[in-house]
Amino acid sequence: DIAAPGVDILSAIPLEREPKIVIAGNTLSAFRIDYTTFLPTQPLTSPLIDCGIGYPTDFPATTAGKIAFIQRGDITFKEKIDHAADAGAIAVIIHNNSPTNDHEIIHDQLTYTPSNPPNIPAVALTHQQAQSIIHIINNQPTAILQATLNNPENAYAKFSGTSYATPLTAAAYALLRQL
């Protein structure tokens, strides 16, 4: 007989917690954009760079290795994230362009699917959250804003029940069959 555990089994799937962004000493709770790459379990820290709306021409030549700060609007989130990756950004923060539709920020215009995620992480901020960052960018253009994105607690999901135990048992049986 073969059996697998079925209660609170640690998985290899990062725990979906609210991503945190630390910029200019402010900690902001961000929204993970559906179907985008998981944030690393170790904090991702890099300078933040203003990339306008996210058109290919909006990305400065110095974008590589930085976190792209992109305003919502005009083009899809997928296009914004893909353009950022093409410019060499290591992550994307999309901020809302209007305070009246903040609830739509993570569900807007995304055409990624679980089978074709982007290759860099992306999160979203509300209009209100982005205002302090925009103020610094507009009033201190030479300021270097460091952004740190992380998955709090560096945790992985735990699963329970037959829907998790069954694949473990089937995989173990398949390995044993090959012997």
Side-chain angles (χ1 to χ4, degrees):
D1 289 343
I2 188 168
V7 178
D8 287 337
I9 306 306
L10 190 61
S11 73
I13 299 172
L15 189 59
E16 286 297 308
R17 296 221 188 266
E18 193 173 74
K20 302 287 184 202
I21 301 174
V22 180
I23 301 175
N26 297 320
T27 300
L28 305 169
S29 293
F31 303 95
R32 182 175 171 273
I33 299 173
D34 292 340
Y35 303 122
T36 58
T37 303
F38 286 110
L39 288 172
T41 55
Q42 296 301 313
L44 177 65
T45 301
S46 184
L48 188 70
I49 190 161
D50 185 9
C51 298
I53 296 289
Y55 287 106
T57 55
D58 289 341
F59 292 88
T62 57
T63 300
K66 296 183 177 146
I67 297 172
F69 188 64
I70 303 173
Q71 180 180 305
R72 177 183 181 207
D74 292 356
I75 59 175
T76 68
F77 281 14
K78 180 182 186 317
E79 290 170 303
K80 293 172 188 291
I81 297 166
D82 288 346
H83 295 161
D86 291 344
I90 60 170
V92 173
I93 299 171
I94 297 175
H95 64 92
N96 208 349
N97 58 351
S98 167
T100 60
N101 57 0
D102 273 342
H103 65 283
E104 298 173 5
I105 188 72
I106 59 172
H107 303 292
D108 184 39
Q109 309 168 353
L110 195 62
T111 54
Y112 288 113
T113 66
S115 63
N116 75 335
N119 59 2
I120 60 173
V123 297
L125 291 176
T126 66
H127 179 75
Q128 182 179 355
Q129 289 172 312
Q131 292 311 296
S132 61
I133 300 166
I134 293 167
H135 178 76
I136 293 170
I137 289 171
N138 290 339
N139 295 306
Q140 301 173 30
T142 59
I144 297 173
L145 291 174
Q146 286 287 115
T148 299
L149 281 74
N150 68 348
N151 185 10
E153 299 182 22
N154 299 328
Y156 290 89
K158 290 184 178 181
F159 293 105
S160 298
T162 56
S163 60
Y164 193 67
T166 302
L168 289 175
T169 305
Y173 179 75
L175 288 173
L176 289 173
R177 271 296 272 177
Q178 292 180 355
L179 296 177

